[in-house]
Amino acid sequence: MAAEEDCVKFSVLFVCLGNICRSPTAEAVFRKLAADAGLAERIHIDSAGTIGFHHGAPPDGRAAAAALARGFDLGSLRARRVVAEDFARFDLILAMDEDNLADLERIRPDDARARLALLLEYGGDSGTKGVPDPYYGGKNGFEQVLDLVTAACAGLVEDVRRTLR
Ligand code: 4NP
């Protein structure tokens, strides 16, 4: 364990509302893209929700199925609520939408270490600042989440690679 922690150089937390659709998707997509880039050992990756309603639950079955069809496995993930300590533990906390960002700003401690930003600052669709919540919609919403999250996570991998160089 110590050896693994010794080589971690960067940490990122993805945050949405429930931590069962968008942020676990981002966690799994970023984990795979970072591994493909040879950075798996150097980045600590996690996700959380601003509400604790789904605490301990696996990802939404629709999100998991859509992700798996593109080669991203959400199977081992379990929901948790974001906590104040996350602002000390992580270098970067990325909100899926502007509501999530506002909720995070409300609980951010004054001495927070983490930089707080929107995931789509790193790529995606210039027409939208947030990843739309797919929970109450149809299948297309989950495909759109994957499109936006994959594009942004590709940009994030490049950004982290430059940071760690
Ligand atoms: P997520 O989606 O924030 O992308 O995980 C949602 C999950 C659950 C709820 C809303 C959005 N909910 O109202 O329970």
Side-chain angles (χ1 to χ4, degrees):
M1 185 172 133
E4 188 192 327
E5 286 184 358
D6 282 350
C7 67
V8 169
K9 298 284 192 241
F10 192 79
S11 54
V12 57
L13 178 70
F14 298 97
V15 176
C16 62
L17 180 66
N19 192 212
I20 57 169
C21 297
R22 292 166 293 172
S23 61
T25 298
E27 178 181 348
V29 168
F30 186 63
R31 200 178 287 285
K32 174 139 192 329
L33 298 187
D36 290 349
L39 297 172
E41 307 283 292
R42 310 202 44 206
I43 312 179
H44 176 63
I45 306 164
D46 198 4
S47 66
T50 57
I51 59 170
F53 186 71
H54 298 280
H55 187 90
D60 183 287
R62 299 164 297 173
L68 197 58
R70 297 196 195 191
F72 305 112
D73 187 0
L74 275 57
S76 64
L77 305 181
R78 295 294 178 269
R80 73 168 178 90
R81 188 175 192 174
V82 67
V83 291
E85 290 75 25
D86 287 321
F87 289 87
R89 284 189 205 125
F90 288 88
D91 295 307
L92 180 62
I93 298 181
L94 290 174
M96 296 298 119
D97 68 27
E98 290 178 295
D99 287 343
N100 308 145
L101 185 64
D103 287 340
L104 287 164
E105 277 164 352
R106 261 191 293 279
I107 62 164
R108 171 167 53 180
D110 290 340
D111 60 350
R113 179 169 76 90
R115 188 174 96 79
L116 189 52
L118 285 165
L119 171 65
L120 296 190
E121 283 180 19
Y122 290 88
D125 180 346
S126 57
T128 173
K129 284 186 169 179
V131 181
D133 184 347
Y135 190 67
Y136 293 107
K139 194 172 181 295
N140 280 352
F142 292 89
E143 299 301 333
Q144 188 189 16
V145 168
L146 280 158
D147 290 344
L148 291 170
V149 161
T150 304
C153 284
L156 179 60
V157 166
E158 287 313 309
D159 193 82
V160 174
R161 198 211 296 270
R162 279 193 294 273
T163 304
L164 292 178
R165 191 172 282 158

